[in-house]
Amino acid sequence: MHLLSHWFVVGFLLSLIPIFQAFFFQPSRLGELTPKNPSILINQTLELNCTVFPDSGLNTSLVKFYLPLDIEPSSDMLTVVGDRTLLLKKTISKIEDEGNYICWSVNETGSPVDMVGSVSLIVEYEDVRNVTDFQCILDNTSNSQEFRCNWILGEYLHPAYLDVNIILSVDNGQNSVNCPQEKIREQCIWTEHDEPNINSMSKIVILNVTNLVFKTSKIFRKEFWTQNISKPAPPNFINASSSSLEKCGCATITWATIPGGVNTTSSVTLTSQWNTVPLTHIVNTDSSLEVCNLVPATNYIVEHQDQTCRGNVLQQHGRYRL
Protein backbone atom coordinates (compact mmCIF):
# COMPACT_ATOMS: atom_id res chain seq x y z
CA MET A 1 0.00 0.00 0.00
CA HIS A 2 2.84 2.40 0.93
CA LEU A 3 4.64 1.48 -2.29
CA LEU A 4 1.59 2.40 -4.36
CA SER A 5 1.29 5.75 -2.56
CA HIS A 6 4.95 6.46 -3.22
CA TRP A 7 4.64 5.89 -6.96
CA PHE A 8 1.47 7.98 -7.07
CA VAL A 9 3.28 10.95 -5.50
CA VAL A 10 6.24 10.52 -7.85
CA GLY A 11 3.94 10.42 -10.90
CA PHE A 12 2.08 13.51 -9.73
CA LEU A 13 5.31 15.50 -9.26
CA LEU A 14 6.59 14.44 -12.68
CA SER A 15 3.37 15.67 -14.29
CA LEU A 16 4.00 19.11 -12.80
CA ILE A 17 7.41 19.53 -14.43
CA PRO A 18 6.10 20.89 -17.79
CA ILE A 19 3.90 23.36 -15.92
CA PHE A 20 6.82 24.68 -13.85
CA GLN A 21 9.00 24.87 -16.94
CA ALA A 22 6.38 26.83 -18.86
CA PHE A 23 5.83 29.19 -15.93
CA PHE A 24 9.38 29.85 -14.79
CA PHE A 25 11.44 29.28 -17.94
CA GLN A 26 9.22 30.68 -20.69
CA PRO A 27 11.46 32.86 -22.90
CA SER A 28 10.59 36.52 -22.73
CA ARG A 29 9.36 38.21 -25.91
CA LEU A 30 11.61 40.93 -27.23
CA GLY A 31 8.95 42.64 -29.33
CA GLU A 32 6.49 42.08 -32.15
CA LEU A 33 6.13 42.34 -35.92
CA THR A 34 2.84 43.78 -37.12
CA PRO A 35 0.43 43.37 -38.81
CA LYS A 36 0.25 39.69 -37.89
CA ASN A 37 -1.29 38.20 -41.05
CA PRO A 38 -0.45 40.54 -43.92
CA SER A 39 -1.96 40.12 -47.38
CA ILE A 40 -1.41 42.41 -50.32
CA LEU A 41 -1.98 42.77 -54.06
CA ILE A 42 0.68 43.07 -56.72
CA ASN A 43 1.98 46.67 -57.08
CA GLN A 44 0.74 47.69 -53.62
CA THR A 45 3.07 48.81 -50.81
CA LEU A 46 3.73 46.54 -47.86
CA GLU A 47 4.27 48.17 -44.45
CA LEU A 48 5.62 46.15 -41.51
CA ASN A 49 6.47 47.49 -38.05
CA CYS A 50 9.13 45.81 -35.94
CA THR A 51 8.60 47.16 -32.41
CA VAL A 52 10.80 46.16 -29.46
CA PHE A 53 9.41 46.19 -25.93
CA PRO A 54 10.76 48.68 -23.32
CA ASP A 55 12.17 45.88 -21.11
CA SER A 56 13.94 44.13 -24.00
CA GLY A 57 17.06 46.24 -23.73
CA LEU A 58 16.90 46.83 -27.48
CA ASN A 59 16.41 49.85 -29.71
CA THR A 60 16.02 50.32 -33.45
CA SER A 61 19.79 50.17 -34.00
CA LEU A 62 19.81 46.59 -32.71
CA VAL A 63 17.12 45.10 -34.97
CA LYS A 64 17.26 44.05 -38.60
CA PHE A 65 14.72 42.94 -41.23
CA TYR A 66 15.11 39.95 -43.50
CA LEU A 67 12.97 39.46 -46.61
CA PRO A 68 12.10 36.06 -48.16
CA LEU A 69 15.14 34.00 -49.13
CA ASP A 70 17.07 35.79 -46.33
CA ILE A 71 17.53 38.94 -48.40
CA GLU A 72 18.33 42.13 -46.50
CA PRO A 73 16.24 45.17 -47.52
CA SER A 74 17.90 48.26 -48.90
CA SER A 75 18.22 51.28 -46.61
CA ASP A 76 15.60 53.26 -48.53
CA MET A 77 12.98 50.69 -47.49
CA LEU A 78 13.59 51.35 -43.76
CA THR A 79 12.34 54.19 -41.55
CA VAL A 80 13.03 54.67 -37.84
CA VAL A 81 9.87 55.58 -35.93
CA GLY A 82 10.80 56.71 -32.43
CA ASP A 83 13.28 54.69 -30.37
CA ARG A 84 11.61 51.30 -30.57
CA THR A 85 10.01 50.83 -34.01
CA LEU A 86 11.64 50.11 -37.36
CA LEU A 87 9.27 50.46 -40.31
CA LEU A 88 9.74 48.46 -43.51
CA LYS A 89 8.05 49.83 -46.65
CA LYS A 90 8.36 47.71 -49.79
CA THR A 91 6.46 47.78 -53.10
CA ILE A 92 5.32 44.25 -53.91
CA SER A 93 6.08 43.92 -57.61
CA LYS A 94 6.29 40.16 -58.18
CA ILE A 95 4.92 36.92 -56.80
CA GLU A 96 8.38 36.02 -55.43
CA ASP A 97 7.88 38.76 -52.82
CA GLU A 98 5.50 36.37 -51.06
CA GLY A 99 6.93 34.50 -48.08
CA ASN A 100 8.32 35.00 -44.58
CA TYR A 101 9.40 38.43 -43.34
CA ILE A 102 11.49 38.30 -40.15
CA CYS A 103 12.74 40.89 -37.69
CA TRP A 104 15.85 39.88 -35.74
CA SER A 105 17.72 41.38 -32.86
CA VAL A 106 21.39 41.77 -33.71
CA ASN A 107 24.63 42.26 -31.81
CA GLU A 108 27.14 45.05 -32.24
CA THR A 109 28.55 43.41 -35.37
CA GLY A 110 25.12 43.13 -37.02
CA SER A 111 24.82 39.37 -36.70
CA PRO A 112 21.33 37.98 -35.86
CA VAL A 113 20.85 36.90 -32.24
CA ASP A 114 17.16 36.35 -31.44
CA MET A 115 13.98 36.57 -33.48
CA VAL A 116 11.75 39.49 -32.55
CA GLY A 117 8.89 38.49 -34.84
CA SER A 118 7.96 36.75 -38.07
CA VAL A 119 4.99 37.02 -40.44
CA SER A 120 4.02 35.21 -43.65
CA LEU A 121 2.93 37.51 -46.46
CA ILE A 122 0.24 36.40 -48.92
CA VAL A 123 0.39 38.00 -52.37
CA GLU A 124 -2.40 37.98 -54.96
CA TYR A 125 -2.93 39.48 -58.41
CA GLU A 126 -6.42 40.73 -57.57
CA ASP A 127 -8.55 39.99 -54.52
CA VAL A 128 -11.70 39.16 -56.55
CA ARG A 129 -11.66 39.29 -60.33
CA ASN A 130 -14.68 39.89 -62.54
CA VAL A 131 -15.97 36.53 -63.74
CA THR A 132 -16.17 35.96 -67.49
CA ASP A 133 -18.31 33.75 -69.75
CA PHE A 134 -21.12 33.64 -67.17
CA GLN A 135 -23.77 31.63 -69.03
CA CYS A 136 -26.69 29.36 -68.13
CA ILE A 137 -28.72 26.84 -70.12
CA LEU A 138 -31.86 24.81 -69.52
CA ASP A 139 -31.03 21.36 -70.84
CA ASN A 140 -34.02 19.21 -71.79
CA THR A 141 -32.02 16.49 -73.52
CA SER A 142 -31.58 14.27 -70.44
CA ASN A 143 -34.20 12.30 -68.53
CA SER A 144 -34.27 14.98 -65.84
CA GLN A 145 -34.26 18.65 -66.83
CA GLU A 146 -31.06 20.44 -65.82
CA PHE A 147 -30.49 24.13 -65.34
CA ARG A 148 -26.74 24.48 -65.69
CA CYS A 149 -24.60 27.58 -65.12
CA ASN A 150 -20.91 27.98 -65.96
CA TRP A 151 -18.47 30.84 -65.47
CA ILE A 152 -14.72 31.49 -65.45
CA LEU A 153 -13.19 32.86 -62.24
CA GLY A 154 -9.88 33.90 -63.78
CA GLU A 155 -6.30 33.40 -62.65
CA TYR A 156 -5.42 33.46 -58.94
CA LEU A 157 -2.22 32.65 -57.05
CA HIS A 158 -4.35 31.20 -54.23
CA PRO A 159 -7.63 29.92 -55.66
CA ALA A 160 -8.17 27.85 -52.50
CA TYR A 161 -8.91 31.09 -50.60
CA LEU A 162 -12.01 31.74 -52.75
CA ASP A 163 -15.49 30.96 -51.48
CA VAL A 164 -17.99 30.66 -54.34
CA ASN A 165 -21.75 30.60 -53.85
CA ILE A 166 -24.62 30.84 -56.32
CA ILE A 167 -28.40 30.93 -55.90
CA LEU A 168 -31.29 30.45 -58.33
CA SER A 169 -34.66 32.18 -58.19
CA VAL A 170 -37.55 31.28 -60.50
CA ASP A 171 -40.05 33.76 -59.02
CA ASN A 172 -38.32 37.12 -59.55
CA GLY A 173 -36.26 36.94 -56.37
CA GLN A 174 -39.02 36.13 -53.87
CA ASN A 175 -37.49 32.74 -53.10
CA SER A 176 -34.14 31.21 -53.93
CA VAL A 177 -32.45 27.82 -54.05
CA ASN A 178 -28.79 27.37 -53.20
CA CYS A 179 -26.53 25.35 -55.43
CA PRO A 180 -27.11 21.69 -54.51
CA GLN A 181 -23.41 20.82 -54.92
CA GLU A 182 -21.49 21.23 -51.67
CA LYS A 183 -18.26 22.53 -53.16
CA ILE A 184 -18.49 24.54 -56.36
CA ARG A 185 -15.87 26.27 -58.46
CA GLU A 186 -16.99 27.21 -61.96
CA GLN A 187 -20.23 25.27 -62.44
CA CYS A 188 -23.53 24.57 -60.71
CA ILE A 189 -26.36 22.26 -61.80
CA TRP A 190 -29.95 22.34 -60.57
CA THR A 191 -32.49 19.68 -61.55
CA GLU A 192 -36.26 19.65 -61.30
CA HIS A 193 -35.80 17.79 -58.00
CA ASP A 194 -33.96 20.81 -56.57
CA GLU A 195 -36.42 23.34 -58.04
CA PRO A 196 -39.78 21.92 -59.22
CA ASN A 197 -40.49 25.11 -61.20
CA ILE A 198 -37.23 24.92 -63.11
CA ASN A 199 -39.10 25.44 -66.38
CA SER A 200 -40.47 28.84 -65.29
CA MET A 201 -40.61 31.71 -67.78
CA SER A 202 -37.53 33.49 -66.37
CA LYS A 203 -34.72 32.84 -63.93
CA ILE A 204 -32.49 35.06 -61.82
CA VAL A 205 -29.04 33.78 -60.90
CA ILE A 206 -26.81 35.52 -58.32
CA LEU A 207 -23.15 34.52 -58.08
CA ASN A 208 -21.13 35.62 -55.03
CA VAL A 209 -17.33 35.28 -55.04
CA THR A 210 -15.51 36.00 -51.76
CA ASN A 211 -11.78 36.09 -51.02
CA LEU A 212 -11.56 34.80 -47.45
CA VAL A 213 -8.06 36.20 -46.89
CA PHE A 214 -8.68 39.71 -48.22
CA LYS A 215 -12.28 39.69 -46.89
CA THR A 216 -13.70 41.14 -50.10
CA SER A 217 -16.62 40.00 -52.24
CA LYS A 218 -18.16 40.63 -55.63
CA ILE A 219 -21.70 39.82 -56.68
CA PHE A 220 -22.68 39.00 -60.25
CA ARG A 221 -26.37 38.94 -61.14
CA LYS A 222 -27.93 37.69 -64.35
CA GLU A 223 -31.50 37.18 -65.54
CA PHE A 224 -32.35 34.64 -68.21
CA TRP A 225 -35.49 34.04 -70.24
CA THR A 226 -36.18 30.32 -70.53
CA GLN A 227 -37.13 30.55 -74.21
CA ASN A 228 -33.69 31.99 -74.98
CA ILE A 229 -31.60 29.47 -73.03
CA SER A 230 -33.48 26.19 -73.58
CA LYS A 231 -31.63 23.32 -75.18
CA PRO A 232 -34.56 21.23 -76.45
CA ALA A 233 -34.72 17.47 -76.73
CA PRO A 234 -34.86 15.97 -80.23
CA PRO A 235 -38.29 15.36 -81.78
CA ASN A 236 -39.67 12.11 -80.44
CA PHE A 237 -40.49 10.52 -83.80
CA ILE A 238 -39.91 10.58 -87.54
CA ASN A 239 -41.92 8.61 -90.09
CA ALA A 240 -41.81 8.04 -93.86
CA SER A 241 -44.49 6.34 -95.96
CA SER A 242 -45.33 5.95 -99.65
CA SER A 243 -47.92 8.31 -101.11
CA SER A 244 -51.03 7.18 -103.03
CA LEU A 245 -50.78 5.16 -106.25
CA GLU A 246 -51.55 8.29 -108.22
CA LYS A 247 -48.22 9.63 -107.10
CA CYS A 248 -45.98 6.66 -107.74
CA GLY A 249 -42.41 7.36 -106.63
CA CYS A 250 -43.50 9.89 -103.99
CA ALA A 251 -43.33 9.64 -100.21
CA THR A 252 -44.57 11.70 -97.30
CA ILE A 253 -42.16 12.30 -94.41
CA THR A 254 -43.47 13.59 -91.10
CA TRP A 255 -41.75 14.41 -87.80
CA ALA A 256 -42.61 15.79 -84.40
CA THR A 257 -41.96 19.43 -83.61
CA ILE A 258 -39.87 20.51 -80.66
CA PRO A 259 -41.96 21.19 -77.54
CA GLY A 260 -42.36 24.76 -76.38
CA GLY A 261 -42.89 26.38 -79.75
CA VAL A 262 -39.18 26.58 -80.57
CA ASN A 263 -38.60 27.89 -84.08
CA THR A 264 -36.46 25.56 -86.16
CA THR A 265 -35.19 24.94 -89.65
CA SER A 266 -35.48 21.28 -90.69
CA SER A 267 -33.18 19.45 -93.04
CA VAL A 268 -34.43 16.14 -94.49
CA THR A 269 -31.96 13.92 -96.38
CA LEU A 270 -32.74 10.67 -98.23
CA THR A 271 -30.13 8.20 -99.43
CA SER A 272 -30.37 4.80 -101.14
CA GLN A 273 -28.33 2.49 -103.33
CA TRP A 274 -29.65 4.28 -106.44
CA ASN A 275 -28.61 7.83 -105.69
CA THR A 276 -24.94 8.64 -105.19
CA VAL A 277 -25.78 12.21 -104.16
CA PRO A 278 -28.10 12.47 -101.11
CA LEU A 279 -31.47 14.13 -101.71
CA THR A 280 -31.67 17.07 -99.27
CA HIS A 281 -34.68 19.27 -98.62
CA ILE A 282 -34.89 22.32 -96.32
CA VAL A 283 -38.15 23.02 -94.50
CA ASN A 284 -38.55 26.21 -92.49
CA THR A 285 -41.86 25.87 -90.65
CA ASP A 286 -43.82 22.71 -91.46
CA SER A 287 -43.46 19.29 -89.85
CA SER A 288 -44.05 17.30 -93.02
CA LEU A 289 -42.59 17.01 -96.50
CA GLU A 290 -43.60 15.25 -99.72
CA VAL A 291 -40.69 13.97 -101.79
CA CYS A 292 -41.05 12.66 -105.35
CA ASN A 293 -38.86 11.12 -108.05
CA LEU A 294 -38.01 8.21 -105.78
CA VAL A 295 -37.39 4.64 -106.89
CA PRO A 296 -40.31 2.44 -105.80
CA ALA A 297 -39.73 -0.60 -103.58
CA THR A 298 -36.39 0.75 -102.44
CA ASN A 299 -34.91 1.06 -98.96
CA TYR A 300 -34.16 4.68 -98.11
CA ILE A 301 -32.32 6.05 -95.12
CA VAL A 302 -34.12 9.19 -94.00
CA GLU A 303 -32.16 11.60 -91.82
CA HIS A 304 -33.82 14.56 -90.18
CA GLN A 305 -32.09 17.49 -88.47
CA ASP A 306 -33.63 20.41 -86.63
CA GLN A 307 -31.52 23.51 -86.07
CA THR A 308 -32.78 26.10 -83.60
CA CYS A 309 -32.20 29.83 -83.91
CA ARG A 310 -29.35 29.47 -81.37
CA GLY A 311 -27.57 26.85 -83.44
CA ASN A 312 -28.55 23.70 -81.52
CA VAL A 313 -28.68 20.76 -83.93
CA LEU A 314 -31.09 17.90 -83.10
CA GLN A 315 -30.91 14.81 -85.24
CA GLN A 316 -32.95 11.67 -85.99
CA HIS A 317 -32.72 9.03 -88.68
CA GLY A 318 -34.45 5.82 -89.74
CA ARG A 319 -34.58 3.23 -92.55
CA TYR A 320 -37.80 2.98 -94.55
CA ARG A 321 -38.91 0.95 -97.63
CA LEU A 322 -40.79 3.28 -99.98
Side-chain angles (χ1 to χ4, degrees):
M1 185 70 175
H2 293 290
L3 183 61
L4 290 175
S5 300
H6 170 75
W7 285 114
F8 175 78
V9 172
V10 171
F12 176 74
L13 293 176
L14 288 174
S15 68
L16 294 178
I17 290 177
I19 299 176
F20 282 108
Q21 287 178 333
F23 186 80
F24 290 104
F25 301 105
Q26 184 177 12
S28 60
R29 295 177 59 203
L30 300 176
E32 60 181 355
L33 186 57
T34 57
K36 296 294 186 182
N37 300 297
S39 56
I40 199 166
L41 304 179
I42 294 288
N43 296 324
Q44 290 185 341
T45 300
L46 171 69
E47 294 189 9
L48 294 176
N49 292 285
C50 178
T51 302
V52 294
F53 295 148
D55 57 353
S56 66
L58 300 173
N59 55 46
T60 54
S61 65
L62 294 175
V63 294
K64 179 185 290 187
F65 271 102
Y66 282 90
L67 311 182
L69 303 178
D70 292 329
I71 298 174
E72 293 190 33
S74 59
S75 58
D76 61 343
M77 298 182 185
L78 302 173
T79 303
V80 175
V81 182
D83 296 330
R84 296 187 293 109
T85 299
L86 184 62
L87 170 64
L88 170 70
K89 296 181 68 174
K90 173 177 170 55
T91 299
I92 303 303
S93 58
K94 55 187 183 299
I95 59 175
E96 289 77 13
D97 290 332
E98 182 176 88
N100 291 325
Y101 287 71
I102 304 174
C103 180
W104 286 89
S105 68
V106 297
N107 55 25
E108 291 77 6
T109 63
S111 300
V113 178
D114 294 306
M115 183 185 297
V116 177
S118 172
V119 296
S120 181
L121 176 67
I122 294 175
V123 176
E124 190 57 84
Y125 295 117
E126 191 172 344
D127 46 3
V128 178
R129 293 181 177 274
N130 290 328
V131 300
T132 57
D133 293 338
F134 186 9
Q135 299 294 332
C136 298
I137 188 172
L138 181 63
D139 191 344
N140 297 297
T141 60
S142 58
N143 293 331
S144 177
Q145 280 186 317
E146 288 185 354
F147 182 66
R148 185 168 57 249
C149 292
N150 295 272
W151 57 91
I152 297 177
L153 293 172
E155 185 179 2
Y156 288 87
L157 289 174
H158 302 285
Y161 297 150
L162 296 181
D163 181 54
V164 182
N165 292 286
I166 188 169
I167 61 174
L168 164 67
S169 175
V170 298
D171 54 8
N172 201 29
Q174 298 183 43
N175 299 282
S176 62
V177 179
N178 291 324
C179 181
Q181 288 83 54
E182 291 185 5
K183 186 66 176 178
I184 63 174
R185 177 108 184 119
E186 294 183 325
Q187 184 186 70
C188 180
I189 301 175
W190 293 267
T191 68
E192 52 193 339
H193 302 293
D194 306 311
E195 173 50 78
N197 298 317
I198 199 170
N199 204 31
S200 62
M201 182 179 297
S202 66
K203 299 166 180 59
I204 295 175
V205 180
I206 299 177
L207 175 66
N208 189 330
V209 182
T210 301
N211 192 310
L212 300 176
V213 170
F214 289 85
K215 297 180 175 57
T216 54
S217 299
K218 281 187 179 180
I219 294 177
F220 309 91
R221 181 186 185 277
K222 280 206 169 185
E223 184 171 1
F224 300 94
W225 292 96
T226 298
Q227 185 176 4
N228 297 332
I229 62 170
S230 292
K231 181 180 181 181
N236 55 18
F237 83 89
I238 181 174
N239 184 55
S241 59
S242 299
S243 299
S244 62
L245 294 177
E246 290 78 8
K247 293 184 178 182
C248 183
C250 294
T252 300
I253 302 170
T254 58
W255 56 91
T257 58
I258 296 175
V262 178
N263 294 325
T264 62
T265 298
S266 298
S267 172
V268 180
T269 302
L270 293 87
T271 55
S272 74
Q273 59 178 324
W274 304 113
N275 59 305
T276 56
V277 178
L279 306 175
T280 301
H281 301 266
I282 304 298
V283 182
N284 288 322
T285 57
D286 296 334
S287 58
S288 65
L289 171 69
E290 186 176 65
V291 182
C292 293
N293 299 319
L294 302 178
V295 180
T298 299
N299 290 325
Y300 280 86
I301 296 177
V302 180
E303 182 177 309
H304 168 265
Q305 287 186 349
D306 272 339
Q307 181 166 338
T308 68
C309 58
R310 292 181 306 282
N312 296 321
V313 176
L314 313 169
Q315 180 173 304
Q316 286 183 318
H317 67 273
R319 181 183 296 272
Y320 303 91
R321 186 173 181 81
L322 303 175

